[in-house]
Amino acid sequence: MRVGVLTGGGDCPGLNAVIRAVVRRGVREYGFEFVGYRDGWKGPLEGLTMELGVQQCRGILPRGGTILGSSRTNPFKVDGGVERIKDNLAADGVDALVAIGGEDTLGVATKLAELGVNVVGVPKTIDNDLSGTDFTFGFDTAVNIATEAIDRLHTTAESHHRVLVVEVMGRHAGWIALHAGIAGGASTVLIPEQPFDIAEVCALVESRFESTYSPILVVSEGAVPKEGGDMTLVSGEKDAFGHVRLGGIGDRIAKEIEDRTGKEARAVVLGHIQRGGTPTAFDRWLATRFGLHAIAAVKDGEFGTMMALRGADIVRVPLIEGTGELKLVSTEEYAEAKVFFG
C-alpha cells in the first residue's frame, strides 16, 4: 500500500513526531510506502510531493514545525479542487491519506471521506478546541511556553508596580489562557466564552494594588467585553476558511486600565512564540501515539476516522466527531477556576 501524509493549518510542536511514527510503523511493520504532500491541502491539490521514508524522519522527533510544510488551502474553495485531488492521488498511486491538522484541515478530510477518499485524521491544534478528543498535541507546549512567560513577567511587574496584560492565542476557545493563567498565578483570565466587564477588571486591578501586589491579566485573543463589539482585528482579511486575523485585545484592555485607574499598564503579546520550537515530552508522547494508531487504522481500512485521546487510551472516532463543533470552556469550568482570581 502507498500512503500519503500531509500537515495543514497552523504549525505546532509535535507534527514531526506524528509523521515519524506513521512512517516508521508503516514501513517496518506493514511494508507500506509513503509520499509526503507539501504545504497542507495544497500538496494533493497541485501535485506537490516529497520523498518520505524512514531516512527523512531521522532526527525530527524534537523539532517543532513540520518537515512537510503547511498552509490554509481549502480545496473546496477552488474550482474543480476535489477532482484535482482525486486525480493527483491516483496519479501518485496513493491508496490512502493521513491528514494531520485542526478543525479546518480535518473538516476538509471529513468532506473528502464522504466523497470516497480513503482518509484518516490526526487532531492537532494548540487551542485544544477539537471535540472528540480530551487533548490535542501542541496544546501542552503552548501552555508551558505561556506559563513560563507569565512566571517571568511577575518579577518585572512587581519591580515597576505596573499591570501586565498577557495576550495569548485562542480565537474561540480559552483553554490556553485558562490553563496558563491558573498555572502562572494570574490575577484573572479573560476568555472568549465568558465576555468580561471592564469595570470589574479595573476594580480587581485596584484591589490588587491595595494589597501591594502587581496584577497579571491573561487574555485570549478572542476575548470580548460584555458591552458588545466584535473581536479585535489585526486586519479585515480572511483566510480560505473564512477566519479573520485576530489580535490587539491586550493593548485595548491595557489602555482602558490606564484610563480608568491611572495605573501604568503594558500589554505583552506572545503570538506565534506559543506554537514554535521544541515540543514538550507530553506532546511528543501524544503525537507519537496518535501516529502509531493512525497508520494502524489505515492498515485496518478504517477510513473516515480520527484518532482521539480518551482518558489514557487512543481510540478511533468518526471524523465528524472531531470537526462537528468546537470544544469550549464551560461556564462550570470557568467558575471553578475563578476561586484563584482576584
Side-chain angles (χ1 to χ4, degrees):
M1 178 178 281
R2 189 168 169 82
V3 181
V5 182
L6 65 82
T7 54
D11 68 292
C12 81
L15 286 167
N16 287 324
V18 180
I19 297 168
R20 172 179 176 268
V22 166
V23 171
R24 284 170 70 98
R25 186 173 202 178
V27 170
R28 293 180 173 178
E29 289 192 27
Y30 307 141
F32 291 169
E33 294 181 356
F34 289 88
V35 57
Y37 281 106
R38 304 278 314 183
D39 302 335
W41 289 111
K42 185 177 180 180
L45 183 66
E46 300 183 7
L48 306 176
T49 65
M50 63 172 279
E51 185 178 356
L52 187 61
V54 173
Q55 184 60 41
Q56 285 72 34
C57 294
R58 295 191 189 282
I60 68 173
L61 178 63
R63 286 176 55 183
T66 165
I67 62 170
L68 296 176
S70 190
S71 75
R72 297 190 183 277
T73 302
N74 185 352
F76 286 92
K77 294 292 186 179
V78 177
D79 289 338
V82 174
E83 290 72 22
R84 285 167 59 183
I85 284 179
K86 288 184 175 181
D87 289 344
N88 284 329
L89 291 177
D92 295 330
V94 170
D95 304 295
L97 192 62
V98 175
I100 311 164
E103 61 169 314
D104 296 327
T105 301
L106 296 187
V108 170
T110 302
K111 293 179 181 178
L112 289 176
E114 293 170 351
L115 296 173
V117 177
N118 293 334
V119 60
V120 167
V122 175
K124 168 258 8 164
T125 169
I126 66 168
D127 290 336
N128 197 43
D129 59 1
L130 280 180
S131 56
T133 182
D134 292 347
F135 287 100
T136 53
F137 67 88
F139 173 67
D140 185 69
T141 302
V143 169
N144 274 273
I145 291 170
T147 301
E148 181 181 356
I150 295 167
D151 288 345
R152 292 175 179 275
L153 291 170
H154 274 293
T155 55
T156 187
E158 291 294 322
S159 297
H160 293 276
H161 312 294
R162 63 165 59 120
V163 184
L164 286 178
V165 181
V166 184
E167 181 182 319
V168 299
M169 286 185 169
R171 178 185 299 274
H172 299 295
W175 295 109
I176 294 176
L178 188 64
H179 282 235
I182 294 299
S187 301
T188 193
V189 173
L190 309 179
I191 61 176
E193 297 91 332
Q194 300 288 330
F196 62 89
D197 185 330
I198 189 63
E200 291 180 0
V201 172
C202 290
L204 180 147
V205 166
E206 291 181 315
S207 70
R208 293 297 275 177
F209 276 113
E210 288 174 1
S211 63
T212 66
Y213 191 86
S214 298
I216 301 282
L217 283 61
V218 179
V219 54
S220 296
E221 61 184 340
V224 292
K226 282 184 178 178
E227 295 91 331
D230 296 327
M231 291 182 286
T232 304
L233 310 182
V234 172
S235 72
E237 297 178 0
K238 296 183 178 182
D239 63 21
F241 293 93
H243 300 312
V244 293
R245 292 177 58 202
L246 300 182
I249 190 66
D251 283 322
R252 184 174 160 195
I253 291 174
K255 184 177 186 305
E256 287 286 341
I257 290 172
E258 283 199 342
D259 292 344
R260 293 177 183 235
T261 69
K263 304 296 183 182
E264 185 181 7
R266 295 287 185 272
V268 178
V269 182
L270 297 186
H272 288 74
I273 292 173
Q274 295 158 89
R275 70 184 194 199
T278 301
T280 61
F282 178 83
D283 278 340
R284 298 184 202 190
W285 170 85
L286 180 58
T288 297
R289 292 188 70 198
F290 275 156
L292 295 175
H293 283 262
I295 197 62
V298 170
K299 177 182 179 295
D300 295 340
E302 289 201 22
F303 303 115
T305 60
M306 180 191 86
M307 304 306 102
L309 179 68
R310 299 281 179 86
D313 299 324
I314 305 294
V315 299
R316 302 169 188 174
V317 301
L319 270 167
I320 191 63
E321 284 194 24
T323 59
E325 61 181 5
L326 292 177
K327 180 177 66 180
L328 304 177
V329 177
S330 69
T331 300
E332 293 74 20
E333 287 169 303
Y334 188 69
E336 184 179 70
K338 286 183 71 174
V339 68
F340 296 106
F341 301 163

